Amino acid sequence: MLTRLSTPALRHWPTLRSSVSSACLPHQHARPPVHCSLTSAHRSFAGRRKGGDHKRWHRHAEHAAEEGEAADGSAAGGAGAAEAASGESARAEGEGSADSGGASHVPSVIRGVPHFPQLFAVPLFRKPAFPGFYQILQVQDKEVVDFLLDLRKKGQEFVGAFLTKEEPKSDDEETYVATLRVDAGKVAKIEDMYDTGSIIHVLNFVPHQNSQGGQLIVMPHKRIRMLGPTDMDQKSNVLWNVKVEYLQDEMIKFEKNTTLKALHHEIVATLKELLRTSYFYKEHFESVIRFYNLDYPAKLADLVAGISMAKREELQNVLAEENIEQRLSLVLEIAKKDLEFAKLQSQVRAQVEEKISKEQRKYLLMEQLKSIKRELGLEKDDKETIIQGFHDAIKDKTVPEEAKKVIDHELSRLSSLEMSSSEFNVCRTYLEWLTSLPWGHHTDDNQDIKKAEQILNEDHYGLQDVKDRILEFMAVNVLKGDVQGKIMCLVGPPGVGKTSIGRSVARALDRKFYRFSLGGLFDVAELRGHRRTYVGAMPGKLIQALKASGSCNPVILLDEVDKLGRDFRGDPASALLEILDPSQNNTFRDHYMDVPVDLSKVLFLCTANTSDTIPAPLLDRLEIIRIAGYVFQEKMAIANEYLIPQTATATGLKDDQIEVPQNVISRLVRDYAREAGVRNLLKLIEKVYRKAALKIVKDGEEMVKVALDNLVKFVGQPTFFSDRLYEETPPGVVMGLAWTQLGGATLYVEATGRLKKDIRGGEVPVNTQPDEAIEASDEKESDEGEERETDKPKKRPPSDDETPDSSMGGPFKVTGQLGSVMSESSQIALTFTRNFVKTIDPKNSFLDQATIHLHVPEGATPKDGPSAGITMATALVSLAVNKPVVRDLAMTGELTLTGRVLRIGGVKEKVIAARRENARILLFPLDNKKDYDELADYIKEGLHVFFVSHYRDVYNYAFGLADEVRNLPAREAPLPEAHSANELPIPAAAANAA
């Protein structure tokens, strides 16, 4: 490329250029912009070659290229740069004008550098190009590379280089993948580049092997200023074509100016200190600085700025500054910042080296100490210490024979393994689990029944069934003089204290307590452990419970047993069959332990919201204790005795700072926290106390009074309203009782009917007796005459949710989002009532001829179950006879086709729901009488409950035909639950329990 240059020393430039290309190629993780040092190469061939020793010169060039690669950012300059510049100027003078893409006329030559009036502008992204330093530019844009190569082919090797005002965003920041850096490219607007730059000579291009683009080796020559775009069509070019003017630096020495001399000495002193502090600058010194002429201010400024690690904006300010004193001042400031950074870097390196040296020294001393102790017999080998620790762990334990054999075998195996092997750690972990189990160790149960009862009453109000069962369990253990286990399951709605009662039971029995949840558990290995062949294998939860509790007879609470999962990893419910079977769990084998473990002394307490989702074989192994929930009186007692004192302690409020009267608590229970448990009631009380604390702290109030008129400000509007839709039910409407997971609830069954239109199109009114309707139809027919056959109404086919019955009457439609069981109950009720109505009124054929629609309100709530059978039948009978049922009546029971009333569940919940809605007269199946008799007296207070075995009894009670109903006094006041809390006495038994 430069073979026609007049300077003899540069005739070998292609060889040097190839050396530069090979030596300065950066790898994919190269550091930011690289300046290859070629000063020593220039020195090697700048003088005359002696004896034509071409190989000697080539070795110097390769050595210089290697120094530039090691420095990775070093600069070059000196005499070689000047000679190269003069050579290029000679070539420029000999070649004439550039092609049409560049300057349109022959450039002038000033001080050996060709001056073009217009140039193509190459945007630089990372740092500006300072004159006199070879530089490698990484260019990834293929269009820019092709454009520059095309310019070189046309003879135009000089372009302008201008730093962009903002550094483009790198793809690495988004993808987190290392890519080649981008030093140059293209910009959309000319305003994106600074005005001051450098004219650079494109010397060579080396393409990348595995990606597009490549690296350009360029030589910056002089400072230039961009004057603006030329008149050339810019859209046809990849780079902007701009007009430029050349900035001249006065070639004066430091001795001629005192200020410059002072700045020169300070910069040189800073550089010397940088050489002592920074390894990076030491590399530059070896390759560049010691060969560089520092007598000229401009060259010194370019040198320091070229090798500096300052910000791109600071370097651009140095390049753009024309005043030499100001430029040196900026350079000195940059050098000082680099010095501070170098000192910090050196300090960090010293701290790291000191820490490493300390750790190494400590390690060596510890190894020497161990060796000395072993020589003196003061310490045994680590392996012997570990084995002795395992022997000590089982010394005082009653280990079963099979487990003892396994432990001995594993200990002998451990002694033959090397401590560095992976099998050693596996064997050691297995022995740690084997020796840490509480073999034969159990805690002594509490023998004081009264003390246990006192503890249970202190922690929980009510739950008498659970407390009685625990006391019975204690009594059996006392009489037998042995420690036993048991398996119980507490079934009830959320918030009634199922989980918390487990800890109270453990405290009452003086046993250890461990809890884990089975909700959403899919993996059987969580219960039975992983096999030791797997990496990271561990025992199951039960073995972990024994280790954590340190005894063989803890209280283990299996929470949410009704929410077990099942998938390809196994069926945890099947695994529980062995765990919860008293005849099998005395030899329970965990997959990891692989030795029999006795679980028969463990008291298992399971909790569930419903028993319907528990598999039947598992349910058969559980002793079910049902918790129905709390009634109004119980919630009031719990709030006063437990929740309010706990909340006051948690919030820091004292009794003289807040006043919450009983009528407010009563309103919270009745209108805000109607669920079976007390969890929401606790949340409401905490909310009241938090808002009161805010008023005291923020507003400075000394006393906060909560009353009915300002309760809304504390807890918002009431959440619940009465479920009673009718104060007096019309014909065809009956109140039923239902059980939900949240407790009991009332629901209404509504029935309505419409007879078909007669042949003349007349319509029979709703609930009109069929015989009267027929007579009315006959009279209308005699008055108006016979209707034409074409005018007869067409029969509509039944819809999907209607049940056609051509022989017995019109379609039967059921709505309210009922389940399959409840839908079948409605069919049974219709079939039975059609026959039953004929027995009480043979002329009544309304149910046989009318279109019947049966609806259960709150259609968005799914409903299912057989207990609404007699309610549906009573609604249909009431519709047929056009007579309402007695006031304040609610009923529940399953109905058969023959009229038998079968047993139902959830008696306590349904009684509580009836009290809440002031339903005083209740009808229950006769088989549920014993369940009702077990209820507390304060729950049954004010209720009139009648037990029925056949639907005829239901009919007599529902329509007031029985003497027991006719003789009941009229309702004068609501049931005690609706009374003010100040007037409502808490039962003595409940108060004593609290």
Side-chain angles (χ1 to χ4, degrees):
M1 182 182 70
L2 301 178
T3 54
R4 292 185 292 170
L5 292 180
S6 58
T7 305
L10 291 181
R11 290 177 183 172
H12 296 280
W13 169 247
T15 306
L16 174 62
R17 186 177 60 188
S18 63
S19 301
V20 173
S21 302
S22 62
C24 300
L25 281 175
H27 52 78
Q28 289 190 355
H29 303 283
R31 297 198 295 264
V34 179
H35 304 272
C36 286
S37 170
L38 301 180
T39 306
S40 58
H42 278 302
R43 288 183 175 273
S44 66
F45 73 84
R48 298 183 177 179
R49 292 176 296 159
K50 296 181 181 180
D53 192 357
H54 177 75
K55 294 182 179 180
R56 177 184 174 190
W57 170 84
H58 189 63
R59 286 196 302 268
H60 280 294
E62 290 181 346
H63 175 67
E66 291 172 358
E67 287 182 348
E69 183 181 13
D72 194 15
S74 60
E83 291 181 18
S86 63
E88 292 298 337
S89 66
R91 183 190 175 202
E93 291 177 8
E95 286 187 344
S97 63
D99 67 317
S100 59
S104 60
H105 52 276
V106 179
S108 61
V109 179
I110 301 177
R111 293 185 181 178
V113 179
H115 281 218
F116 298 89
Q118 58 190 42
L119 292 169
F120 283 103
V122 178
L124 302 180
F125 297 148
R126 302 180 67 85
K127 65 184 297 184
F130 288 91
F133 299 93
Y134 287 97
Q135 189 169 346
I136 293 180
L137 300 179
Q138 297 288 345
V139 183
Q140 308 302 328
D141 194 326
K142 191 175 183 301
E143 293 183 355
V144 175
V145 172
D146 293 342
F147 185 77
L148 292 176
L149 293 179
D150 187 56
L151 290 180
R152 291 191 67 214
K153 290 179 181 179
K154 296 177 181 179
Q156 184 174 347
E157 299 180 352
F158 289 88
V159 293
F162 300 91
L163 185 69
T164 58
K165 295 180 179 179
E166 293 184 0
E167 186 174 4
K169 186 177 181 181
S170 174
D171 297 336
D172 309 19
E173 301 176 4
E174 299 178 356
T175 61
Y176 300 99
V177 177
T179 58
L180 292 173
R181 72 171 191 267
V182 181
D183 297 330
K186 59 185 178 181
V187 292
K189 298 183 295 183
I190 194 173
E191 292 81 4
D192 293 342
M193 297 181 289
Y194 288 105
D195 294 338
T196 305
S198 302
I199 179 173
I200 62 174
H201 183 194
V202 181
L203 301 177
N204 195 14
F205 171 74
V206 180
H208 293 312
Q209 295 180 358
N210 300 325
S211 60
Q212 66 177 5
Q215 53 187 5
L216 293 172
I217 301 177
V218 300
M219 176 64 180
H221 285 289
K222 293 190 66 65
R223 287 177 172 78
I224 58 175
R225 179 180 291 117
M226 186 193 310
L227 301 178
T230 62
D231 298 334
M232 182 185 299
D233 183 14
Q234 305 289 350
K235 295 182 180 179
S236 60
N237 298 319
V238 177
L239 302 178
W240 285 88
N241 190 266
V242 297
K243 300 176 184 179
V244 297
E245 68 172 353
Y246 291 78
L247 306 178
Q248 300 297 331
D249 290 329
E250 297 183 11
M251 301 302 293
I252 60 174
K253 293 190 176 182
F254 290 106
E255 288 75 6
K256 298 181 180 181
N257 190 308
T258 307
T259 305
L260 294 180
K261 187 175 181 180
L263 290 171
H264 168 259
H265 288 311
E266 186 63 26
I267 292 174
V268 171
T270 305
L271 283 177
K272 289 180 180 180
E273 192 171 356
L274 275 169
L275 294 176
R276 293 192 300 267
T277 307
S278 174
Y279 179 77
F280 176 74
Y281 277 91
K282 190 177 298 183
E283 284 184 342
H284 283 301
F285 176 78
E286 294 293 335
S287 58
V288 177
I289 300 176
R290 65 176 178 171
F291 302 112
Y292 201 81
N293 187 359
L294 303 179
D295 295 337
Y296 296 95
K299 291 184 178 294
L300 177 62
D302 292 342
L303 169 66
V304 177
I307 65 177
S308 174
M309 295 181 292
K311 297 181 180 178
R312 59 199 302 274
E313 291 81 6
E314 295 176 348
L315 298 178
Q316 176 63 29
N317 293 336
V318 174
L319 182 68
E321 183 58 51
E322 297 184 27
N323 187 287
I324 192 63
E325 291 186 9
Q326 293 294 332
R327 192 188 306 175
L328 289 176
S329 298
L330 293 175
V331 168
L332 179 59
E333 182 180 349
I334 289 175
K336 292 292 186 183
K337 290 182 179 179
D338 286 350
L339 179 59
E340 293 299 324
F341 178 77
K343 289 181 179 179
L344 179 61
Q345 184 180 11
S346 177
Q347 182 181 357
V348 172
R349 183 173 64 250
Q351 291 176 354
V352 173
E353 291 176 353
E354 182 182 0
K355 182 178 180 181
I356 294 176
S357 62
K358 284 183 177 180
E359 291 178 354
Q360 290 178 344
R361 184 169 177 269
K362 182 179 179 181
Y363 175 76
L364 292 175
L365 291 175
M366 290 298 297
E367 291 297 322
Q368 292 176 3
L369 180 61
K370 290 180 181 178
S371 178
I372 293 172
K373 286 185 175 182
R374 281 195 295 268
E375 290 293 334
L376 297 176
L378 300 178
E379 183 179 282
K380 297 181 180 180
D381 189 59
D382 287 346
K383 186 188 299 185
E384 296 179 3
T385 304
I386 293 172
I387 294 175
Q388 185 61 40
F390 289 142
H391 282 292
D392 295 340
I394 61 174
K395 182 172 57 176
D396 298 329
K397 296 179 180 178
T398 307
V399 184
E401 186 64 27
E402 184 175 349
K404 187 70 168 61
K405 290 180 179 180
V406 173
I407 293 175
D408 293 340
H409 172 72
E410 291 297 325
L411 285 174
S412 62
R413 181 165 167 261
L414 185 69
S415 61
S416 63
L417 293 173
E418 291 293 334
M419 293 186 62
S420 58
S421 66
S422 59
E423 191 65 22
F424 182 88
N425 292 326
V426 174
C427 184
R428 178 180 177 179
T429 304
Y430 181 45
L431 281 169
E432 286 176 351
W433 279 102
L434 282 173
T435 57
S436 62
L437 288 183
W439 301 106
H441 175 71
H442 60 270
T443 57
D444 296 330
D445 284 356
N446 177 28
Q447 305 291 324
D448 191 345
I449 300 292
K450 293 183 178 180
K451 178 183 177 182
E453 184 177 10
Q454 180 182 358
I455 292 175
L456 294 175
N457 290 333
E458 285 177 358
D459 295 343
H460 290 81
Y461 179 87
L463 304 180
Q464 199 59 40
D465 293 341
V466 183
K467 296 176 181 178
D468 291 343
R469 184 63 188 87
I470 297 302
L471 296 178
E472 293 169 3
F473 172 76
M474 291 181 60
V476 171
N477 287 351
V478 170
L479 293 177
K480 195 173 182 181
D482 191 10
V483 178
Q484 294 182 338
K486 204 64 182 176
I487 303 166
M488 307 177 192
C489 183
L490 310 179
V491 180
V496 296
K498 301 185 300 296
T499 302
S500 59
I501 192 67
R503 193 176 299 276
S504 297
V505 169
R507 195 161 72 92
L509 295 175
D510 281 346
R511 291 193 180 190
K512 302 292 184 180
F513 178 74
Y514 188 87
R515 171 197 170 273
F516 66 93
S517 177
L518 298 176
L521 185 68
F522 287 88
D523 196 353
V524 176
E526 291 290 331
L527 296 174
R528 305 198 62 135
H530 305 82
R531 302 192 184 276
R532 295 198 307 276
T533 54
Y534 297 112
V535 177
M538 288 184 62
K541 287 290 186 181
L542 295 171
I543 300 298
Q544 296 178 31
L546 295 180
K547 179 183 177 182
S549 61
S551 65
C552 292
N553 62 333
V555 176
I556 298 181
L557 181 69
L558 306 179
D559 216 356
E560 309 293 351
V561 72
D562 59 328
K563 299 176 180 61
L564 282 168
R566 181 180 183 180
D567 65 356
F568 65 93
R569 288 168 288 185
D571 183 9
S574 300
L576 286 174
L577 295 179
E578 177 189 1
I579 297 171
L580 301 180
D581 191 338
S583 62
Q584 300 181 37
N585 61 8
N586 59 340
T587 57
F588 169 72
R589 281 185 180 268
D590 184 270
H591 287 162
Y592 181 85
M593 306 299 294
D594 202 22
V595 293
V597 179
D598 187 7
L599 300 179
S600 61
K601 301 182 185 305
V602 177
L603 174 58
F604 288 100
L605 287 179
C606 306
T607 67
N609 294 126
T610 176
S611 59
D612 298 338
T613 56
I614 302 177
L618 179 59
L619 192 64
D620 181 61
R621 288 163 167 79
L622 305 177
E623 181 181 349
I624 303 297
I625 301 177
R626 298 192 178 273
I627 303 175
Y630 300 109
V631 296
F632 178 82
Q633 292 93 334
E634 292 174 334
K635 286 187 177 182
M636 289 293 297
I638 292 173
N640 290 317
E641 298 294 332
Y642 297 94
L643 304 184
I644 291 180
Q646 292 176 7
T647 307
T649 303
T651 55
L653 291 177
K654 300 178 181 179
D655 295 339
D656 57 351
Q657 292 178 312
I658 184 172
E659 180 181 343
V660 183
Q662 291 299 305
N663 57 352
V664 172
I665 303 299
S666 174
R667 177 67 62 84
L668 288 176
V669 173
R670 187 172 60 251
D671 296 342
Y672 291 87
R674 195 179 289 180
E675 73 285 346
V678 294
R679 187 171 292 149
N680 284 337
L681 179 59
L682 175 61
K683 294 178 182 178
L684 291 169
I685 294 175
E686 289 176 346
K687 191 173 183 180
V688 170
Y689 272 69
R690 287 197 307 268
K691 290 188 177 295
L694 179 62
K695 287 179 175 292
I696 293 173
V697 175
K698 183 179 179 181
D699 301 336
E701 299 184 13
E702 297 182 357
M703 179 69 175
V704 177
K705 294 184 179 180
V706 184
L708 293 177
D709 53 354
N710 65 352
L711 182 60
V712 176
K713 296 180 180 180
F714 288 89
V715 293
Q717 295 295 333
T719 307
F720 295 97
F721 297 94
S722 176
D723 291 337
R724 188 157 185 164
L725 302 179
Y726 303 92
E727 186 64 26
E728 294 184 3
T729 55
V733 179
V734 180
M735 181 192 295
L737 299 174
W739 177 91
T740 68
Q741 292 188 8
L742 298 178
T746 59
L747 56 83
Y748 284 88
V749 176
E750 301 175 337
T752 184
R754 180 176 60 85
L755 290 172
K756 298 180 180 179
K757 292 184 179 180
D758 60 3
I759 57 176
R760 296 182 305 262
E763 183 177 345
V764 178
V766 176
N767 291 349
T768 303
Q769 294 297 329
D771 292 70
E772 298 174 0
I774 295 173
E775 293 177 2
S777 176
D778 292 340
E779 293 177 1
K780 188 172 183 179
E781 183 178 359
S782 63
D783 292 340
E784 298 182 1
E786 188 174 359
E787 190 80 0
R788 290 181 302 171
E789 187 69 23
T790 57
D791 294 333
K792 288 183 180 180
K794 296 181 180 181
K795 184 176 181 181
R796 180 180 63 83
S799 59
D800 294 338
D801 55 355
E802 296 174 348
T803 304
D805 194 345
S806 57
S807 62
M808 297 296 293
F812 178 55
K813 187 174 184 179
V814 180
T815 57
Q817 199 175 351
L818 308 184
S820 59
V821 176
M822 202 167 182
S823 298
E824 292 176 357
S825 297
S826 66
Q827 297 290 333
I828 294 172
L830 178 63
T831 302
F832 172 78
T833 53
R834 280 172 173 169
N835 298 326
F836 181 77
V837 170
K838 289 291 185 180
T839 62
I840 60 177
D841 186 2
K843 295 183 179 181
N844 191 330
S845 59
F846 179 79
L847 296 179
D848 296 334
Q849 299 180 5
T851 298
I852 306 298
H853 186 174
L854 189 110
H855 176 66
V856 181
E858 297 186 12
T861 304
K863 313 169 189 69
D864 202 4
S867 62
I870 63 173
T871 310
M872 293 179 175
T874 306
L876 293 173
V877 172
S878 174
L879 177 67
V881 301
N882 198 22
K883 180 180 179 181
V885 297
V886 297
R887 188 178 180 183
D888 299 335
L889 172 71
M891 63 183 68
T892 179
E894 181 180 354
L895 180 67
T896 67
L897 280 174
T898 59
R900 292 294 304 272
V901 181
L902 303 183
R903 173 187 174 89
I904 49 86
V907 173
K908 182 178 180 181
E909 291 89 342
K910 294 178 179 181
V911 172
I912 293 172
R915 290 185 62 87
R916 187 170 59 240
E917 302 303 330
N918 292 317
R920 299 183 303 156
I921 304 174
L922 305 182
L923 301 182
F924 280 99
L926 181 62
D927 293 339
N928 290 110
K929 187 175 186 306
K930 59 184 181 61
D931 300 322
Y932 180 79
D933 293 339
E934 292 177 355
L935 299 179
D937 293 337
Y938 61 87
I939 297 179
K940 299 184 291 185
E941 181 183 359
L943 296 178
H944 305 281
V945 181
F946 303 99
F947 299 95
V948 295
S949 59
H950 194 275
Y951 184 78
R952 180 166 292 278
D953 301 330
V954 177
Y955 175 76
N956 293 333
Y957 287 122
F959 293 94
L961 303 180
D963 295 337
E964 295 90 338
V965 177
R966 287 199 302 265
N967 297 332
L968 289 177
R971 185 181 70 170
E972 298 179 356
L975 292 175
E977 179 178 341
H979 275 296
S980 171
N982 294 325
E983 302 174 3
L984 177 64
I986 298 177
N992 294 334

